Amino acid sequence: MSKQAELRCRCGEVVGEITNASPRTVNRVVCYCDDCQAFAHQLGRADLLNAQGGSDIVQVAPASLTFVKGQERIAGVRLTSKGLFRWHTTCCNTPVGNTLGPAIPFVGIVAQAFNTDTQRADQVFGAPVGAILGKYAIGEPPAGSTGLNLPLILRAIAKVIGWRLRGRTWPHPFFRPNTREPIYPATVLSPARREALRQHCGPHPAT
């Protein structure tokens, strides 16, 4: 059954709402890529990674996410000039959405942001349907996370196409409809900083 889910940063200063939330309306995967690992370390939030460096991500339609509190505490980071916009809070460095841009309508949110006193991510969205980019995992790659997972890829593509066809791109929580520019400030990491973060990432982190 679809319902509304609450997104909340660690300190509670930023709150969002997801409408029509259910396992059927989202895509939930665990991503082991080194960019997701680097982002967590950039924020000082390695606690959000699992033991093998995976990020548990719930992908939702942009129009389903609305921030209702603390919008002034949202900012973005891009690991490269053409990389994902990785939005986070400035109060407690909680990731609140990864986006490519409005042309490809999806927002990926760490599952832990949905764990509150009265709600758990598993109860709302079900368990992850798979894992990707396990070649970057710390230690032994999780089963099924390496190689080409065609069903998982097709599921993700179908979700994005469906959201676009059904007009679920707008209103977008991170981009302005008239200019397609970001609503919140976003910075790009220097190549030196991005390279420095790699030492913390799998498959063989230095620290």
Side-chain angles (χ1 to χ4, degrees), residues 38-46 48 77 87-89 92-95:
F39 178 51
H41 287 288
Q42 168 68 15
L43 296 182
R45 293 302 309 275
L48 295 171
V77 169
W87 306 103
H88 63 92
T89 68
C92 60
N93 284 347
T94 298

Side-chain angles (χ1 to χ4, degrees), residues 6-9 12-17 66-71:
E6 183 179 80
L7 179 160
R8 183 177 290 268
C9 71
E13 288 297 315
V14 177
V15 178
E17 294 177 347
T66 303
F67 289 101
V68 297
K69 177 186 174 184
Q71 291 93 325

Side-chain angles (χ1 to χ4, degrees), residues 50-197:
N50 67 22
Q52 293 164 294
S55 296
D56 188 347
I57 302 294
V58 178
Q59 298 173 335
V60 306
S64 68
L65 171 60
T66 303
F67 289 101
V68 297
K69 177 186 174 184
Q71 291 93 325
E72 73 280 2
R73 299 179 185 274
I74 297 175
V77 169
R78 304 182 81 178
L79 301 184
T80 68
S81 60
K82 297 185 182 299
L84 287 175
F85 289 88
R86 296 174 182 271
W87 306 103
H88 63 92
T89 68
T90 58
C91 46
C92 60
N93 284 347
T94 298
V96 292
N98 295 337
T99 60
L100 277 168
I104 302 179
F106 80 91
V107 178
I109 306 165
V110 292
Q112 292 95 325
F114 296 104
N115 292 334
T116 68
D117 292 340
T118 58
Q119 167 192 280
R120 308 301 292 177
D122 286 353
Q123 296 170 342
V124 179
F125 304 112
V129 297
I132 58 174
L133 297 172
K135 68 179 181 178
Y136 296 105
I138 297 171
E140 186 70 20
S145 66
T146 59
L148 184 65
N149 189 328
L150 191 57
L152 200 59
I153 292 172
L154 292 176
R155 176 185 170 90
I157 292 173
K159 288 292 183 188
V160 170
I161 292 175
W163 292 334
R164 186 166 188 173
L165 292 177
R166 293 194 299 272
R168 302 294 290 158
T169 303
W170 304 102
H172 201 293
F174 298 110
F175 295 94
R176 302 183 189 281
N178 51 342
T179 64
R180 302 316 199 243
E181 292 297 314
I183 296 172
Y184 306 106
T187 59
V188 180
L189 295 187
S190 68
R193 176 56 182 166
R194 176 65 185 89
E195 191 60 33
L197 290 169

